[in-house]
Amino acid sequence: MIIAIIRLRDMAPPDELMEAMAEGGVDQIEVTLPTPGSLDLIRRWSGSELITVGAGTVRDRAGAEAARDAGARFFVTPTIDHDVLDVAEQASIVAYPGALSPTEIETAYRHPAVAGVKVFPVGTVGGPSYIKAVKDPMPDVPLVPTGGVGVAEAEAYAALGCLGVGVGSSLVSEDAVRAGDWAGLTQKAKAFVDSWARGVAAFTR
């Protein structure tokens, strides 16, 4: 599973961005709440059959409730916030809370709303080698490594049996969005999807 992370500073994401991701085969899209127009974008795409749209950087109850009301179908958080997770549970919304240490990962996974644990920022602590070390004693925990994930890393994480990866600027760069390079973004999405498929095939062999 590739989760495309939309994190823009100075512009609202256009619908063409969502279409480019879907055309490239990426059907899980996280729209971070600080992105201008994030809730409007989530609202417009919440009923889409092409993609599943969720809210990212959900850090408190107010943000969770706003995302819920906009129709977000999953929450992604940078930390373990029980108010956010409780809102998710009450609304039957799946959550991917952020954690880094084994203790944090275990703590996050025990909440009933959690479908997987976002291991963040994984690129700063060893990437795939860190995930392998974590999965050895905790093979049952579905992990979503996030932070510094490129095409090669996506394949490596899939080969380790991860649930998915969160991919930010290496897939959805603000420069490409500003330039309207939808074809280029679709090509990048396809590259990540193909890489993930290769890793899954290696894991299941």
Side-chain angles (χ1 to χ4, degrees):
M1 174 178 67
I2 303 293
I3 302 176
I5 303 170
I6 297 178
R7 181 182 301 280
L8 305 178
R9 295 165 296 179
D10 304 318
M11 62 181 296
D15 290 333
E16 289 87 347
L17 172 55
M18 310 292 269
E19 293 163 357
M21 291 295 103
E23 188 173 344
V26 173
D27 60 3
Q28 305 287 318
I29 301 183
E30 170 193 341
V31 185
T32 59
L33 291 185
T35 294
S38 58
L39 292 174
D40 289 338
L41 185 67
I42 292 169
R43 193 172 290 111
R44 289 200 305 274
W45 284 84
S46 61
S48 172
E49 297 181 357
L50 296 175
I51 62 171
T52 300
V53 64
T57 319
V58 186
R59 296 180 57 200
D60 54 27
R61 179 175 293 275
E65 290 174 345
R68 175 202 63 196
D69 294 346
R73 294 166 66 184
F74 61 87
F75 292 164
V76 183
T77 76
T79 60
I80 304 168
D81 187 284
H82 285 278
D83 283 344
V84 171
L85 297 179
D86 289 346
V87 171
E89 182 185 9
Q90 292 158 11
S92 298
I93 296 170
V94 299
Y96 302 100
L100 188 59
S101 72
T103 297
E104 292 170 345
I105 290 168
E106 185 74 71
T107 300
Y109 185 52
R110 290 185 181 182
H111 194 284
V114 173
V117 180
K118 168 185 171 181
V119 185
F120 171 80
V122 71
T124 65
V125 292
S129 62
Y130 179 74
I131 292 298
K132 183 180 185 305
V134 169
K135 286 191 72 67
D136 282 347
M138 305 166 69
D140 58 312
V141 180
L143 302 179
V144 183
T146 304
V149 177
V151 171
E153 289 79 14
E155 181 174 348
Y157 291 130
L160 288 169
C162 291
L163 174 65
V165 288
V167 186
S169 59
S170 59
L171 174 55
V172 184
S173 72
E174 189 152 3
D175 288 344
V177 175
R178 193 175 299 281
D181 184 11
W182 313 128
L185 286 163
T186 294
Q187 284 187 333
K188 283 188 176 181
K190 287 179 178 177
F192 272 97
V193 170
D194 291 346
S195 174
W196 184 259
R198 289 193 300 272
V200 170
F203 177 70
T204 55
R205 276 204 294 268

